[in-house]
């Protein structure tokens, strides 16, 4: 079968629409929300909710049958389309991307680890009238990279047939919008990872869907951050929080397996390439801005000349373009594998590692080449430099994803190589 590098229509349409959103709606507000952390861009949220619904779905979790057009006889485009949407939105502003209504990581966890009934029950809300959010809470103080060390406890109350959750989660992206009841938002949920048996290690890990407003659960803090300030990052405490028995994702008993932990990993296999896509968007924004400023100053990149005839800036720009394009190809490969239900742990982590490196390098280089223009808050280059770093931190740091890559290539288990 020939390899087709033409982007299919749903992807080019999404790119076209979101480019306009990025230029007209996001960029003009980007600096404002960077400087007014914890304010919520309601106009954008409401507009995007309507626009995404008009395009056929506001959840970023792909539908079971994919988003492809069956007549085209292509494989479903679910994750490839989402990656494109995320890249385009992050080009506008990475923090704004995180304010896109829809299921986010919370829905991705339901999608990866839930039953058909749970998917139907929890994912339908993202297409309803009000914009709705969901988040995933796995990280705890002392349990970030090694998330099997989580201490949040879930105990079954057999009298009421409810799970009782106790613990504290930190750095939850979108935690506030997913849990706190705002008049303008639909009822969201958070997916809380807890242990049903602290002695069982990874085998005891399970995820629970905790509905917004559940009694005993509180957003106790919103972080002040280096970048992506438009995105809320919450600490959430759970004190005797009761959730229905059926809200557990996965088996309610501890077998001698690690299915619970595998649910978390399956979520990340789906979402790490999406984080990588967001890094590509930020890097592209910075690189395009640099090229614009260079062009305004009469510097054109003379593609096709031998390297020794190029200026050092031309070589830098070409190097950055190569890095960017190769990263995007890795994203497309990892998402194509997810869409085609092929195991993609290796490719997902590789794309995430590469994107974390590339976006950090490109935004730094752009600030460097632009000199005072790069450092000034008059322009967004310094902001993209600050926003970029998160790509290398959340959903597994660069180091942790390198470990995943090494384990996959060398055939080691988590215990053998850590
Ligand atoms: C803005 C933001 C949003 C986030 N959103 C979410 C979210 O929505 N949900 C959620 O659950 N979490 C979220 N996180 C948490 C994030 O996933 C963790 O911060 C990350 O996994 C690292 O964990 P840690 O902070 O505990 O660092 P640590 O695990 O303490 O690591 C500290 C450093 O040590 C390195 N390190 C650790 N172990 C190893 C090893 N074995 N080998 C080599 N190096 C190692 C790490 O790479 C890192 O550089 C978010 C974080 C931030 C900053």
């Amino acid at each position: 079968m020939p390899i087709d590098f033409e982007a299919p229509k749903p992807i080019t349409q999404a790119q076209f629409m979101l480019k306009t959103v990025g230029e007209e709606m996001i960029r003009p507000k980007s600096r404002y929300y960077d400087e007014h952390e914890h304010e919520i861009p309601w106009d954008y949220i409401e507009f995007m909710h309507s626009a995404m619904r008009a395009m056929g779905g506001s959840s970023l979790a792909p539908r079971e049958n994919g988003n492809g057009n069956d007549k085209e006889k292509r494989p479903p485009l679910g994750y490839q389309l989402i990656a494109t949407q995320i890249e385009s939105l992050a080009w506008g502003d990475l923090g704004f991307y995180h304010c896109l209504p829809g299921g986010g990581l919370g829905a991705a966890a339901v999608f990866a680890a839930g039953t058909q009934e749970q998917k139907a029950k929890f994912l339908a809300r993202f297409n309803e009238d009000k914009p709705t959010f969901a988040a995933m809470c796995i990280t705890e103080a002392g349990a970030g990279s090694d998330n099997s060390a989580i201490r949040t406890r879930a105990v079954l109350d057999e009298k009421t047939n409810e799970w009782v959750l106790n613990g504290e989660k930190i750095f939850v992206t979108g935690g506030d919008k997913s849990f706190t009841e705002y008049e303008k938002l639909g009822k969201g949920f958070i997916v809380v990872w807890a242990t049903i048996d602290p002695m069982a290690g990874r085998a005891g890990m399970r995820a629970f869907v905790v509905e917004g407003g559940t009694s005993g659960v509180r957003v106790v803090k919103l972080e002040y951050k280096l970048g992506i300030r438009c995105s809320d990052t919450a600490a959430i405490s759970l004190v005797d929080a009761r959730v229905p028995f059926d809200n557990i994702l996965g088996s309610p008993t501890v077998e001698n397996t690690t299915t619970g932990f595998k649910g978390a990993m399956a979520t990340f296999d789906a979402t790490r390439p999406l984080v990588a896509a967001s890094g590509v968007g930020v890097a592209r924004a910075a690189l395009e801005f640099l090229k614009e400023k260079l062009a305004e100053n009469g510097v054109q990149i003379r593609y096709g000349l031998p390297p020794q005839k190029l200026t050092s800036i031309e070589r830098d720009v070409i190097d950055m373009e190569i890095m960017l394009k190769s990263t995007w190809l890795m994203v497309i490969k990892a998402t194509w594998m997810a869409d085609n239900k092929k195991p993609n742990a290796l490719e997902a982590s590789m794309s995430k590692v590469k994107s974390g490196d590339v976006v950090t390098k490109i935004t730094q280089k752009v600030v460097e080449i632009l000199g005072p223009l790069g450092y000034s808050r008059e322009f967004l280059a310094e902001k993209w430099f600050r926003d970029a770093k998160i790509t290398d931190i959340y959903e597994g740091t660069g180091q942790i994803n390198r470990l995943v890559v090494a384990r996959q290539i060398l055939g080691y288990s988590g215990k053998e190589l850590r």
Side-chain angles (χ1 to χ4, degrees), residues 204-368:
M205 277 180 76
R206 291 293 181 280
F208 298 84
V209 177
V210 179
E211 294 280 0
T214 298
S215 165
V217 185
R218 245 172 10 105
V219 171
V220 287
K221 183 183 175 193
L222 291 179
E223 297 293 337
Y224 286 92
K225 306 189 295 291
L226 173 72
I228 58 163
R229 292 182 178 160
C230 184
S231 153
D232 79 76
T233 308
I236 298 181
S237 96
L238 301 105
V239 179
D240 292 334
R242 290 179 168 268
V243 301
F245 179 83
D246 290 339
N247 285 23
I248 187 170
L249 303 176
S251 161
T253 55
V254 178
E255 307 89 13
N256 190 19
T257 68
T258 52
T259 43
F261 184 73
K262 281 181 182 153
M265 294 304 109
T267 309
F268 290 138
D269 291 347
T271 57
R272 280 175 177 158
L274 304 180
V275 175
S278 72
V280 171
V282 177
R284 182 165 66 84
L287 191 49
E288 285 179 6
F289 178 71
L290 172 67
K291 286 175 75 178
E292 246 173 66
K293 289 288 154 208
L294 289 175
E296 281 169 21
N297 287 282
V299 180
Q300 294 293 343
I301 311 302
R302 293 165 302 159
Y303 297 98
L305 282 189
Q308 71 275 14
K309 297 220 166 131
L310 294 170
T311 62
S312 118
I313 285 183
E314 286 173 307
R315 275 203 300 271
D316 280 344
V317 169
I318 291 170
D319 279 350
M320 287 191 274
E321 288 181 331
I322 293 168
M323 286 193 256
L324 196 60
K325 291 236 159 85
S326 55
T327 310
W328 184 241
L329 286 177
M330 292 174 84
V331 171
I332 290 297
K333 178 159 186 197
T335 49
W336 176 86
M337 293 177 80
D339 282 336
N340 287 281
K341 302 200 172 8
K342 293 176 189 289
N344 72 339
L346 173 65
E347 290 75 10
S349 285
M350 272 186 171
S351 67
K352 166 88 166 57
V353 167
K354 178 82 175 165
S355 180
D357 280 357
V358 160
V359 67
T360 313
K361 276 188 195 143
I362 289 182
T363 52
Q364 184 178 0
K365 196 73 186 169
V366 167
V367 168
E368 183 186 306

